[in-house]
Structures are given as structure tokens and as C-alpha cells.
Amino acid sequence: MRRLRTTTPWRVPGPDTLRGRLALLALIATALWVALLTGGFNLALSARLGDQADDLLRTRAAAVAATLETRPDGGIVVHEPADDGALDAGIWIYQGDRAIERPKAPLRLQRQADRLAGHGKVFTETAGPHASRLYALAVHAPHNSGRQVGTVVASVGLDPYRSMARATLAGSAVLGLLLLGVVYLVTRAIVGRALRPVAEMSAQAARWSEGGAAERFGVAGRPDELASLAANLDELLDRLAAVLRHEQQQSAELSHELRTPLARIVAETDWLTARRRDATAQRASHAAIASAAATMQRICETLLSEARTRSASVPGRCALPDLARDLARRCAEEHPQAVPVVVRGGAVTAGVAASVAERILTPLLDNARRYAVRTITIECAQVPGGVEVAVADDGPGVPADVGPAVFEPGRRADPADGHDGAGLGLALARRLARAAGGDIHLAPCPAGARFVVRLPAG
């Protein structure tokens, strides 16, 4: 079978650091501006040099035309000035189509000047490496007749102008490259200096992560952007610290909760193996071991349900009155001597799975069963923003000096009540309710205890 070869998408290589990327962006932006300014400057310079050449041609042609005298018969008399060497260079004087003065010039320049004879105020250029620009000025007959009798053609070489334009272009290009280099280095230095606090914050976070320190960045004395970053990082560190404390507390609670049933299993096992016991004592020990193992199983399942609830992306739904009636029926079957459980409330749907709601209500129902005298009441109600389930009993209630502390791990209203367990049922129930997006609180009650569970609506 042929192996298909995968290709990675092509990517333009670039700097991997933020400083390098910002410096590159600044370099690109500066390069665009330098290119625009250099191009505009050189275009303006070329136009200006062309205008200077044209002005020179007009001036020379007008100066030569001023030395000419036109006769009524159309003849032209040239009055030579005393020093006309510079004036005659590159000057043609035509009477009609006949040249009466012609300078020493290349043949192609002579031919181009001959073509301008008879024209007036015309500019033209010759091609080639040594190009020249020519200008024709009409010479008119006297007495303002308007009749053209001759032509003065002036020429100037364009090599000096073009050489100056090329030199200016090369100089501006070199200057632009130097400017880009300086801009890149300066930008990297400025950006590096601006990002130095970020690097220091990163180093601090690395040190704190290794040592587990409780320091925070704080926002005092920082720019607005870094203050916002520091505040967000501090908030993240607080959440991580809270998660770590939660996990540590959960581990401590789990070990504390499992210690009592595990100790009972170990003790019963030692008693069974230490000496021979009759059948009744063995059954009692086996029942105690099974009860302790069931307690451990419930604890583990509760913690697993909490973990699943925290990681679940789609919550379940359950009808609370039906679940409450099912729990009441099972309580009556497992504890025939217990007080009756009364369920009240209409159709109320919670936005949690039935298994999660069951593990939240079971510790509350067990707690009420232990202390109730005549009846236990479960009330389901729809409230704004969610649903509530109240589990109430008519027992002695929670002492005033305990109050909400009854939810603390290992805390019981009466440590000498003689019941099994380490006092983690209510703590685990509240933890599971909060993991599901709800909570449990101890509500005021004239007699007995009343625990109210608030859950999201389904």
C-alpha cells in the first residue's frame, strides 16, 4: 500500500519573537514611506532639472535672436558680439530653410536642428547615450508683419542633468537604506525596553511556579496595559490557588472520611482472625464489614460524581418530585423503623442528572432520618433563576453555636450522638451541589433543621 505523504502548508518565514515582529512591522512601514518620499523627491527633481534646461534654451535662443537684424526683403544680418564664443555654442541660425550659422555638432544633432528650421517655440530631444534637448525660436520680419523669415535653434546636452538625477537617486537610496537600518535597530531597542517588564513578570511567574509562592504582581506603578495584564494574571493565580486548595481539601476530606469505615473493616477483620467466634458473631462482623464497605463506596461515588459534574459540558435533567418519592420509598424499605418521609411540590425539573441530584439529597435525607422525631418533609419548588429542594425534620435542630459550620468537613451538630460516620456527608453534598452550579444552605426554622438545596432549572 502506498504511503500518502503529507505536506505542511507553506508559511512566510519571519521573526519568532514579539520584539522582532514589531521591529519588522516598523521597518516595513518606514520602508514604504521612504520609498514614497524618495520616489516623489526624485520625480520632482527630474522635473525641476528639465525646467532649468528649458529656461536655459529659451534664454540662449532669445539672446541670439536679439543680435539678428531682419531686412524688408527677408534677409537676416548677424551682428556678432565682442565675445560670442559661449553664446554661439550649440546655436543654429536659419534664414528660411538655409543655415547661415552652424556650430560643430554630431551629424544626428545637425539633422535634428535642420528639421526645426521654419518652426517656432518647439522643444525636442535626441535619442542615444549622449542626448540633447533642442529649442526653436522663430525670427519674424520687421514692422510687425508677423511673417517668419528665420529660425534660431538652441541645444543643450542632457548628460549633466541626467547624471545629477542619477547621483541624487543613488544618494537618496543609500540614505534610505541607512535610515531603515537605524529605524530597525532603534525600534528593536525601544520595543525590547518596553517589553522588559513583561519579561520580568514572566520570570517572576516561573520562579513562583517552582516554589509555590503566594506573591502576586499587583497593578501599582505599572502602565495601563501592563496593569491590566498583571490583574488578569493575579486573578488566574488566585483561581489556580483556589483549585489547588480545593484539591488538597478534597484529598484531606476523602482520607478523613474513609478512615472510619476502613478502621472498622480492619478491626472486624482482626477480630475474626484473632479468635474463633460463633455464627452469630461472624454474621455481625460480616454485616459490619459490608456496611463499612458500602459507606466507602458511597463516598467514592459521590466524589466521582462531583468530578464528572465539573468536567461535563452538557448537564442532565431530572424531575425532582419523582426523585424525592423514589428516595423516600427506598428509605422506608431500608429503614422500616424510620419516620415517614412526605414529599410536596408540583412538576419541578432540575438541570442536573438524576444521579447527581440523588447524591446531593441522600446525605440530607440520612441526616434528617437520624434526628427526626415524627416526620421528614421534602419540598420541591420553582424559584426565579432555578429550583429549590428543602429537606426538613422535626428533630432538635442545629445548635446556634454550630450554625453554617455544620457544613465543615468532620463537623457534626452533636459529636456524641452515637451515629456512624465522620461528619462529611453535608460537606460532600454541598461540594457536589456547588460543582453542579448550585448550593446548599441552612435555612431558619422554628423547630428542627431545614436544609435548602438550590440547583439550576432544567
Side-chain angles (χ1 to χ4, degrees), residues 125-138:
E125 291 183 8
T126 60
H130 301 288
S132 297
R133 187 165 179 81
L134 295 89
Y135 170 68
L137 177 64

Side-chain angles (χ1 to χ4, degrees), residues 7-278:
T7 58
T8 58
W10 181 80
R11 184 175 66 90
V12 178
D16 295 330
T17 61
L18 179 60
R19 181 176 65 174
R21 293 179 180 179
L22 292 177
L24 181 59
L25 289 176
L27 179 66
I28 293 174
T30 306
L32 292 176
W33 277 108
V34 169
L36 291 175
L37 292 176
T38 302
F41 172 74
N42 283 274
L43 289 176
L45 179 62
S46 298
R48 180 57 182 165
L49 292 176
D51 292 340
Q52 288 181 355
D54 292 346
D55 291 341
L56 178 61
L57 290 174
R58 292 191 188 96
T59 301
R60 293 181 63 191
V64 172
T67 65
L68 301 181
E69 179 185 353
T70 58
R71 298 176 178 176
D73 60 355
I76 297 177
V77 177
V78 180
H79 298 284
E80 297 289 348
D83 185 10
D84 64 346
L87 188 62
D88 289 342
I91 295 294
W92 287 261
I93 301 175
Y94 293 90
Q95 181 177 337
D97 295 335
R98 181 176 61 86
I100 59 178
E101 280 200 12
R102 187 186 297 270
K104 294 182 179 180
L107 180 59
R108 62 176 181 177
L109 186 58
Q110 296 282 359
R111 293 176 178 175
Q112 187 69 22
D114 293 341
R115 296 191 188 98
L116 295 179
H119 298 78
K121 294 186 179 180
V122 177
F123 287 97
T124 186
E125 291 183 8
T126 60
H130 301 288
S132 297
R133 187 165 179 81
L134 295 89
Y135 170 68
L137 177 64
V139 178
H140 298 280
H143 309 298
N144 297 325
S145 63
R147 182 170 59 90
Q148 181 177 352
V149 296
T151 308
V152 175
V153 178
S155 70
V156 65
L158 296 179
D159 288 347
Y161 298 94
R162 293 181 177 179
S163 177
M164 180 179 294
R166 287 192 297 267
T168 304
L169 178 60
S172 58
V174 172
L175 182 61
L177 292 177
L178 292 177
L179 177 62
L180 292 179
V182 172
V183 167
Y184 181 76
L185 295 177
V186 172
T187 304
R188 280 185 63 91
I190 293 175
V191 173
R193 186 178 181 85
L195 293 179
R196 189 177 302 169
V198 179
E200 294 175 355
M201 294 172 63
S202 177
Q204 288 178 351
R207 290 195 300 269
W208 295 345
S209 64
E210 293 176 358
E215 290 88 353
R216 295 296 182 265
F217 294 105
V219 298
R222 300 183 184 275
D224 293 341
E225 296 80 2
L226 292 183
S228 177
L229 175 61
N232 293 333
L233 290 178
D234 288 344
E235 184 178 355
L236 176 61
L237 291 175
D238 290 339
R239 288 198 297 268
L240 292 177
V243 171
L244 181 60
R245 289 194 301 269
H246 169 78
E247 297 300 330
Q248 292 173 345
Q249 182 181 4
Q250 186 180 35
S251 300
E253 293 173 359
L254 178 60
S255 61
H256 191 275
E257 178 75 0
L258 295 178
R259 185 180 303 155
T260 298
L262 183 59
R264 186 170 185 180
I265 292 175
V266 173
E268 294 291 343
T269 304
D270 291 340
W271 290 341
L272 285 175
T273 58
R275 57 185 177 87
R276 297 179 59 83
R277 308 181 71 181
D278 56 19

